[in-house]
Amino acid sequence: MNKRLYRSRSNSRLTGLCGGLAQYFGLDATLVRLLVVIAAFCSFGTVTLIYFVLSLLVPKAPYDDYATMNPYHNY
């Protein structure tokens, strides 16, 4: 099975990138968000720029994958 990186539709706060990264690597989304915020402060904004560039490049998860990824979805 090919594992692809998508921005999350179900675990999204700003763009869904941290939720997608957390799902891809099997981590908690809150931990990924915390690491991104800490890295953004430590890198003087470089991580923030990378975050927004990746948000433009990484596609949103398809709707059919969203239904299978979200265990609370009822259809």
Side-chain angles (χ1 to χ4, degrees):
M1 181 172 133
N2 276 340
K3 208 170 159 183
R4 297 219 32 205
L5 176 63
Y6 291 110
R7 290 185 293 141
S8 176
R9 289 187 185 277
S10 61
N11 198 355
S12 176
R13 294 288 182 256
L14 189 60
T15 64
L17 184 62
C18 288
L21 286 169
Q23 186 170 16
Y24 185 80
F25 290 112
L27 300 170
D28 183 41
T30 305
L31 176 66
V32 174
R33 287 184 188 105
L34 184 63
L35 290 174
V36 168
V37 168
I38 291 170
F41 281 115
C42 293
S43 70
F44 301 106
T46 304
V47 171
T48 306
L49 178 66
I50 292 169
Y51 177 87
F52 285 112
V53 169
L54 283 176
S55 294
L56 294 173
L57 296 177
V58 175
K60 278 264 194 196
Y63 283 105
D64 57 339
D65 285 346
Y66 171 68
T68 60
M69 288 186 298
N70 187 355
Y72 303 107
H73 195 69
N74 294 326
Y75 76 81

